[in-house]
Every structure is written in C-alpha cells, then in structure tokens.
Amino acid sequence: MTGTNHEVDVVVVGGGPCGSTISTLLAMQGHRVLLLEKERFPRYQIGESLLPSTVHGICRLLGVTEELEKANFMIKRGGSFRWGKNPEPWTFSFAISSRFAGDASTAYQVERMRFDKVLLDNAREKGVDVREESSVLDVVFEDGRAVGVVYTDVAGARREVRARYVVDASGNKSRIHTRVGGARRYSEFFRNLALFGYFEGGKRLPAPNQGNILAAAFDAGWFWYIPLTPELTSVGAVVLPEHLERVQAGDREQALLDLIQDCPLIADYLSDARRVTSGPYGEIRVRKDYSYIKEGFWAPGMVLVGDAACFIDPVFSSGVHLATYSALLAARSINTSLRGDIDETTCFEEFEARYRKEYARFHDFLVAFYDMHQDENSYFWKAKKVTQNVLPELESFVELVGGGASHEDALVDPESYLDRRGAAFRELTEVVEGPIQEAGEDRDLLQTSLARAVSREGTRIQIQAALGQNDEQTPVRPGGLVPSADGMHWTSPERRLSEGSTPK
C-alpha cells in the first residue's frame, strides 16, 4: 500500500448495522477505525425484521447479545404468509442446525432506532472513533487508489482524513458508491415502491407465532405486517409498477388505507387499530423498492458493503442479514490485507465472489417465490414466468444476479440456468402449495434446496459465533480462499487444513 501518512487504518462511511458491524470487527483486531455517520442516533430507519444469523451469529460476534436481550425486542420464530394458491395463511419456522435448538432458531422484530443505536454504541465501546453528524462529501484518490475522504464535521467545518481503506456502508442513498467505478444494474422485475406507516392495536397471529412477520399477497403487490411490540405494528404495501399511480399521486394516507382494504387479511388484522400520527412513527412514508447490484464492489483502497453494493426485495427479511454478512466478509478482507498475508486483489475478489453468491441465493429464492403469487392475472404471473422457457423474460430476471461483468451462469447461459434451477423452483412450489389443514400451519421449507441454500451461510455464522471458530475448509470457487479458524481473516485451503480446527 502506498504512502505512510495515514491518520487511521480504515474510515467507514455510515453507522447503520453494516457500518457498525465492520467497524467493530476491524477494531477488535487492533486497527484504528474512524466511523462517520451523517445523522445523530437514534434516528428512524426502515427494515425491522431480522434473521437468526444476525441475532445469534453476527451480534454474538460483536458482543451485544446481553444488550439485545435487555432491549426486550419481539421474538420472531419464523414467517407467516398468505401467498401462493392456498387461501389460508401458512408458516415456516427457523431451524438452523441439528447442533442448535431453542433460542438459536428464533430472531427479533426490532425498532431500528433502538437496535442500530445498540450496535453503534458497541462500536464505540470496542474502540471505534464514532463521529455523528459528519457527512462525507467525496473519496480522495491518488494514483488510482482511495486514500481517504473529505467530510463536514458536526460544526460544519470541511475536513479531510487519510486512511488505508475506505468502506462505503452508507446504504442505498450512498453519495460515493460511484467512486469504485461501474454502474448500478437495476432489476426490471423487482422494481416496486413501498408505502408504509405504523399502527397501534392491530391483531396478532395465534401463539406461538404472534411475533412473526406476516406477508400477504394481493392484486396490487404484497403487504408486510411486522409486530414490533404487543401494541405497535409496522404495515407496508409493496406496490407493483402498474399500480404506482395509487402511491405517487394524492393523499398518501388515503392511498395506504385504500390498499389495506384491497387486502382482506390485512384489513381484518387492522380492523380495530389506529394509525400512529405523531413522533418518528407518525409519517406515511414512500420508499423505492428497486432491486439492484453494482457492476463492481471494490476498487484499490475502497469497498462497498451492504446496500451500497446491492439490494434485493425484502419479502424474506434479508436486508440486515446481507448488510451484516457483507460486513463480516469485507472485515476478513481488510484484516488479511492489512496483516500482509495475502495480496489485496485476492482478498477482495474473495469478498465480492461470496457476497454476489449470497445475493444470488436470495434472488433465486425470490424468483421462485414470486412465481407463486396468488392471482394468475397479477403482474407476477403476466410479466415474468421463470418456470417457462421464454428466454427474453428469463434474461431480464437473471440480469439482476450479477451485473454485466460477473460471469454468472445465469447471464452467460440462461437456458442452462433454467434447466438447473427449474427443478428447485418446482420443488419449492410443491411444498408451499400443498394442502393446508388449518390456518397458520408450518411448512418445512428447509426440505427444499432453495431454502437450504439461503440458510447455509447464516448457519455457518451462527456456528462460528457459538463455538468460537469457523469450520469451513473448502473454498466456494476454484482457487478461492477460506476463512481462518477464528473467522476474522482469509487463508489458503492448504494452510487452513494444516492448522486444523484449532483457533489461532
């Protein structure tokens, strides 16, 4: 690495779960980390539904398990869906491994204002220099390498800080993601808008699923219904392109209420509820729900993590998982590169390959899941029938997977992709659309290859957190790296095998 005038080892832009996670994992390895966050916490943020890998994996690695237990967040044992051809809701339950039971197969529904502050405060406690109300204006490059950032501090003064690495964890509204080069490639299918608000007094699913997220499909899209406390519920409609005028024009509140009435299940759950009209939950908000992926995730000295790199439709609560998982992968790459064991290019190629692979797993799952939308006259059925061999439609789906330069099989050979994945799509359909004996009964999605695939990396993270070591010794691609025994660095498969399973 060029230059010796670095004030810090790493500067992280953004203090959400992704930024807090990577900052903490780097600081715990003894690196000097500066985190710049443009807002003052606690601040409002969408995305309240978590997966077990975040709660029992990443959060345990960060050392915040006790703080989360004290926060008394709503316990979530899975997800409940009014989806597919079944007229009654059905449920899937989390189950990560035969090694685990009980609490490890649950997650939380969280108020992000509180959850994000727990992670940011923990970053401070672990040695990260956290500066709130500090807005990054640009990344400084010298000789083709990122060497720092320019930002305004809490007093409005313009400052520059030099670093060996710059991490963009500033989310989908990142102002600096373009500095790694390449464009964001947007999906033509997952291109919706979300209209959402908060209600008090809504109904709950029958025990033991009262803390589950409820997702209900209807003609205009689908609803999320997330119980944050016994009284407070986050309610949002993900609206399809041909219905966007209902969201974009006129009264937002009336638009949301009209959409609720169009979805009988959600209307019933809110029949005795009242909308929150004051405080941070009092606003009816609109957010683009456009799925995208960057053509490149890193450049010399700079890496994109979380939503700065890619985003996918949140029907399976993947947002915080992908953010914190990418933070773990990038932390391994930076830790290894700074230690000098493996060259930077090899480290970050491993990061990008693994993050794209995880994104692609959720993409495959969502394509199959959306193909089972309840109404055969809906957008999902008319527009992109992935299980039929119609190549132009298939290509528009799979373009989302990796961007033009990723060399994903789905892009370069879509017919082969369909042949390989079609059976997995049909397998999931058969499980979801089997007869329901009673509303809310469990579906064992983990018997399907797609569901097992999306749970695989989360399971590994949880095992690492619980056992204090990573047991992965086989690379995910030819010539690739594997995690070190402590899970905080990359190493070669040969060296990993020679180390055995003893943490170093």
Side-chain angles (χ1 to χ4, degrees), residues 47-50 72-80 107-112 114 197-206 208-215 223-236 266 269-270 281 317:
E48 302 101 336
S49 197
L50 305 186
N72 199 31
F73 291 124
M74 180 73 74
I75 293 175
K76 164 188 173 182
R77 68 181 294 269
S80 298
Y108 290 129
Q109 313 283 19
V110 299
E111 294 178 78
R112 285 287 302 277
R114 298 168 57 208
Y198 295 80
F199 291 78
E200 291 180 331
K203 295 179 182 178
R204 295 289 178 258
L205 289 160
N209 297 322
Q210 63 270 25
N212 279 12
I213 181 174
L214 173 62
F223 265 97
W224 75 69
Y225 188 94
I226 303 175
L228 297 177
T229 72
E231 282 296 310
L232 181 66
T233 308
S234 170
V235 181
I266 300 301
Y269 270 67
L270 292 175
Y281 298 132
S317 308

Side-chain angles (χ1 to χ4, degrees), residues 6 12 18 65 78 95 102 160 204 302 334 342 373 430 436 448 478:
H6 303 106
V12 175
C18 186
T65 298
E160 180 176 323
R204 295 289 178 258
M302 182 176 177
I334 293 174
I342 301 173
H373 194 280
E430 289 170 1
I436 291 178
T448 70

Side-chain angles (χ1 to χ4, degrees), residues 276-314:
V276 177
T277 56
S278 62
Y281 298 132
E283 181 180 348
I284 300 289
R285 302 173 189 264
V286 173
R287 174 169 172 170
K288 284 185 179 180
D289 190 34
Y290 289 13
S291 297
Y292 58 82
I293 191 164
K294 279 280 291 185
E295 290 179 332
F297 288 4
W298 71 282
M302 182 176 177
V303 61
L304 309 180
V305 289
D307 288 356
C310 55
F311 172 80
I312 198 163
D313 184 285

Side-chain angles (χ1 to χ4, degrees), residues 95-96 361-362 446 450-460:
I96 63 163
R361 289 189 181 107
F362 278 92
L446 285 175
L450 289 174
R452 288 196 302 271
V454 299
S455 69
R456 185 176 303 138
E457 291 306 311
T459 300
R460 285 176 173 165

Side-chain angles (χ1 to χ4, degrees), residues 45-299:
Q45 184 58 273
I46 191 175
E48 302 101 336
S49 197
L50 305 186
L51 296 180
S53 58
T54 300
V55 174
H56 304 291
I58 296 294
C59 289
R60 182 176 290 189
L61 293 174
L62 298 177
V64 295
T65 298
E66 186 175 339
E67 287 81 355
L68 294 182
E69 291 174 351
K70 290 178 180 177
N72 199 31
F73 291 124
M74 180 73 74
I75 293 175
K76 164 188 173 182
R77 68 181 294 269
S80 298
F81 291 84
R82 203 330 317 167
W83 204 283
K85 294 180 180 179
N86 286 313
E88 297 292 339
W90 53 271
T91 293
F92 79 91
S93 299
F94 296 127
I96 63 163
S97 169
S98 59
R99 304 189 197 188
F100 297 93
D103 291 345
S105 59
T106 63
Y108 290 129
Q109 313 283 19
V110 299
E111 294 178 78
R112 285 287 302 277
M113 289 187 295
R114 298 168 57 208
F115 176 75
D116 291 10
K117 191 172 188 302
V118 167
L119 297 192
L120 190 65
D121 288 346
N122 180 65
R124 282 194 183 93
E125 293 170 6
K126 295 296 194 299
V128 178
D129 180 0
V130 176
R131 302 182 191 178
E132 297 175 85
E133 297 181 272
S134 297
S135 183
V136 172
L137 305 175
D138 199 4
V139 182
V140 179
F141 274 80
E142 291 180 358
D143 299 324
R145 180 180 186 82
V147 295
V149 300
V150 177
Y151 71 101
T152 54
D153 66 15
V154 65
R158 186 183 178 97
R159 298 184 178 276
E160 180 176 323
V161 61
R162 311 277 291 192
R164 294 179 182 274
Y165 281 102
V166 174
V167 177
D168 183 5
S170 58
N172 70 311
K173 294 182 179 179
S174 166
R175 299 166 62 179
I176 59 174
H177 72 87
T178 57
R179 300 292 268 137
V180 303
R184 279 182 176 175
R185 298 286 295 270
Y186 285 87
S187 166
E188 291 300 321
F189 179 65
F190 300 113
R191 201 174 181 89
N192 312 313
L193 283 182
L195 178 70
F196 56 100
Y198 295 80
F199 291 78
E200 291 180 331
K203 295 179 182 178
R204 295 289 178 258
L205 289 160
N209 297 322
Q210 63 270 25
N212 279 12
I213 181 174
L214 173 62
F218 71 118
D219 287 351
W222 64 274
F223 265 97
W224 75 69
Y225 188 94
I226 303 175
L228 297 177
T229 72
E231 282 296 310
L232 181 66
T233 308
S234 170
V235 181
V238 177
V239 181
L240 305 172
E242 67 268 34
H243 295 276
L244 293 186
E245 70 279 357
R246 300 178 64 177
V247 175
Q248 295 171 320
D251 186 336
R252 286 184 180 180
E253 179 169 23
Q254 190 59 52
L256 180 58
L257 295 177
D258 289 345
L259 288 166
I260 289 169
Q261 292 306 310
D262 287 348
C263 186
L265 181 61
I266 300 301
D268 175 62
Y269 270 67
L270 292 175
S271 58
D272 296 322
R274 58 194 178 280
R275 188 176 75 81
V276 177
T277 56
S278 62
Y281 298 132
E283 181 180 348
I284 300 289
R285 302 173 189 264
V286 173
R287 174 169 172 170
K288 284 185 179 180
D289 190 34
Y290 289 13
S291 297
Y292 58 82
I293 191 164
K294 279 280 291 185
E295 290 179 332
F297 288 4
W298 71 282

Side-chain angles (χ1 to χ4, degrees), residues 324-340:
T324 55
Y325 175 67
S326 69
L328 173 61
L329 295 177
R332 288 174 182 164
S333 297
I334 293 174
N335 285 335
T336 306
S337 182
L338 288 176
R339 193 164 68 178

